Each structure stands twice: as structure tokens, then as C-alpha cells.
Amino acid sequence: MLLSKILIGVDFSEASVAAARWTATCFAPWAELVLAHVIPPAEHPRFAAHLVPPPEQPAGTDAAVAHATAMLGEIARLARTPAPRQEIRTGKPHEELAALADAIGADLIAVGAHGESHHASRFLGTTADRLVRTARIPVLVAASPALRPIRTLLVAVEDADITPRVLEWAHALADAHDAAVTLLHVWSNAAYSHVASMSYATAGNAREAEVEIAKELRAESVRWLEQLAKTGVPHEGVTSAVRFGHPGDCIVTMARQIEADLIVIGRHGTGAAGPELLGRTVRAVLHEAHCPVLVVAEASEGGAEHW
């Protein structure tokens, strides 16, 4: 089973508490859980450095640990009985969570969509964003999770090296939850325009050529998706969908249409779309999705992934 141990990062915001509860009760109630809170280092202006305790003696650490211990205990009791293991670290949250995940052999890191940030963006610049970009293992961003069984998965796939791994996770989750699966492939505007332009060059009627090439691309994509389903998600209740447009927008719209309980997507690929486009797609989905998003990582020897 892909999900035997999950690290859940909490910053005590409502979003992170909701994510912890949903992960424990709806996403993987069978998994071993580890709740973790990271106390970030205090930032002080350089002009007052002579008044600040040295790093090995940070001010307020004892009080912060005591507070974190009490809060984690409350969240643990909310999440599950018996209460999951609890860990407290000090440092940069995304770095400490990633290191702890490696140390305990976690299969996945789960976090809320955002904490107490007041950025114009509700997601960028947060611990969740940095984890999605750098973690070696999949990251579950549980935005606005509804406490109900997972019945419908939307799985976005590209012709990329990450796709078998995405399908592996989709298959495991579909089996565990007896959930329906929709495989979605999106022809981006750039990719579609490139193919269509070659047809226009030899066609007498541009409009007819556009309709015909869209029809052919859709049919070929459906055949490809059906083959993926047979080999990668041999599960009853798998359907296929093809869309044209901005990938992130199409994924979010489709998720709403089918009332998806979870979106599964790869962090980046090496197919025709390239890692830069897929990175923008992941970011767009995380911004706008109405449900939790599981971002499946493609581990690299160097650690951090492209974005």
C-alpha cells in the first residue's frame, strides 16, 4: 500500500487543523499518522543584533514548545483515537517537514492550503507552496476539505515520465475508497495551435480544418486515455475526458463539474508540454481548486525539482 505513514504539518491555523482532521478521517484512516509543528526562527533587524540572544539560545523557545505541545495534543485528539504521534521542530517549516518526512519514512506530507498569511495570493509564499516545489514525496494540499467519504477522483495526466507514478497513486486511492476515476488530458492552447496551424496550411477552409483537427485530436487522446486506464488504473468506474484550453483552468472546471473529492496531478513532466508549463498548471490548480489536491512528486537525485 502506498499510504502506510503520513506526516501532517500543522501551524494551528483553521486551514491546517481542517486538513489534519480530513486526512485522518477521510483520506487515509488506516495510515499511521505523525503530527508535526515547526517553530520558525524569530527574525530580528540587524541593527539590534547585540540585544538578541545567540541562535543556540533563542528567546521564548521554552514557551513556544509548551504552547505547541498543548495545541498538538488537542489536534491529535480531534484527528483520531488513539492520538497520533507528535513532533515539534525549530527552523524553516518546509525544510524541517521535508527532513522529518525523510527521517520517519513518510509516504506523503499533508498540509493545509495556507496559514495566517495575508498575501494577496492565498497560496503563494506559504509552507505548502515550498513543500510542493521541493519535497521528494507527494504532497497533499487539503484546501477546503469536506468531511465526507472520497467517492470521485479527477486525475490529470500528460504524456510525461511522471504519469505512471500519478496513475499508481490514482489506482491505490480508487481501490482504497472504491471511488470513481476521471482521467483528464488537456491540450493546451499552445500545443493545439501548433498542430492546427499545420493543418491550416494545406486546408482550403480554415474553419473546417479547425473542427476536423479538434475531432481527430480528441479521438486520439481518448484512445490513449483508455489504454492508460487499462494498464494504470484497472478499476471499475474509470472514464476519460479531453479538453482544450489553459490546463489549470480546465482541470479546476472539470473538478467542479464532476464534484471531485480529490484532484491528483503530477508535479512536473518531461513531455511536449515541458516542466515550466506543467509547473504553472500545478500552481493554477492549487490556487483555484475547490477540493484537496494531491501533487505527486517525481524524485530527482539533486533533491529540489524544477518549477
Side-chain angles (χ1 to χ4, degrees), residues 153-157 166-167 170 181-185 262-265:
L153 304 177
L154 177 63
V155 184
V157 292
V166 171
L167 295 176
V181 176
T182 296
L183 295 181
L184 172 65
H185 177 69
L262 177 68
I263 297 171
V264 184
I265 188 171

Side-chain angles (χ1 to χ4, degrees), residues 129 132-133 267 275-276 279-280 282-283 286 305-307:
D129 175 55
V132 167
R133 287 188 283 117
R267 184 164 66 196
E276 183 179 357
R280 290 198 298 269
V282 172
R283 185 180 284 118
L286 289 168
E305 300 289 344
H306 296 292
W307 182 249

